[in-house]
Amino acid sequence: HVQLVESGGGSVQAGGSLILSCAASGYTDNDRCMAWFRQAKGGEREAVAAIYIPNGSTGYAGSVQGRFKLSQDYTQSTVYLQMRSLKLEDTGMYFCAARPDLCDGTWGRTSSFQTWGQGTQVTVS
């Protein structure tokens, strides 16, 4: 079965940086959209960024544009979210998600993703 495993969360001071990883396994091909969502305590899950694995095209939420960057290790089926200039409002549980589809205009919707990781906590203070 397919599985997503996130890692790399932690505590960091405002202005600092972190790199999150999402390792995918169980897939028979790489034709999928992978995205990061985050959820602050008591808040709703919101989209952060997405990458279409076959060509590496990316999309970002306005709140992280210019500060976060997605990359991938195609051979390792791992996606990385490089976060810099972190702000207090970046605090939350970060989830990796995947769907066997393009990253079209629906990538911001949690309901459009079938597979989710367990999440990794990011705390900015």
Side-chain angles (χ1 to χ4, degrees), residues 3-21:
Q3 187 176 17
L4 302 175
V5 178
E6 305 98 330
S7 62
S11 297
V12 64
Q13 291 188 333
S17 301
L18 277 176
I19 300 176
L20 305 184
S21 301

Side-chain angles (χ1 to χ4, degrees), residues 25-69:
S25 62
Y27 287 93
T28 57
D29 61 48
N30 286 318
D31 189 9
R32 62 183 174 273
C33 174
M34 293 183 66
W36 286 94
F37 288 76
R38 66 186 180 189
Q39 188 169 15
K41 199 170 186 179
E44 294 187 356
R45 196 167 296 190
E46 63 175 3
V48 174
I51 183 168
Y52 183 51
I53 298 303
N55 64 15
S57 61
T58 56
Y60 299 91
S63 59
V64 306
Q65 183 80 43
R67 299 188 298 120
F68 291 12
K69 182 179 180 182

Side-chain angles (χ1 to χ4, degrees), residues 80-109:
Y80 302 95
L81 182 66
Q82 301 173 61
M83 309 186 294
R84 61 180 179 84
S85 301
L86 284 162
K87 304 176 180 180
L88 298 178
E89 53 264 41
D90 293 318
T91 294
M93 186 70 78
Y94 282 67
F95 298 90
C96 181
R99 70 184 193 196
D101 202 349
L102 297 169
C103 292
D104 60 13
T106 65
W107 72 262
R109 302 176 191 169

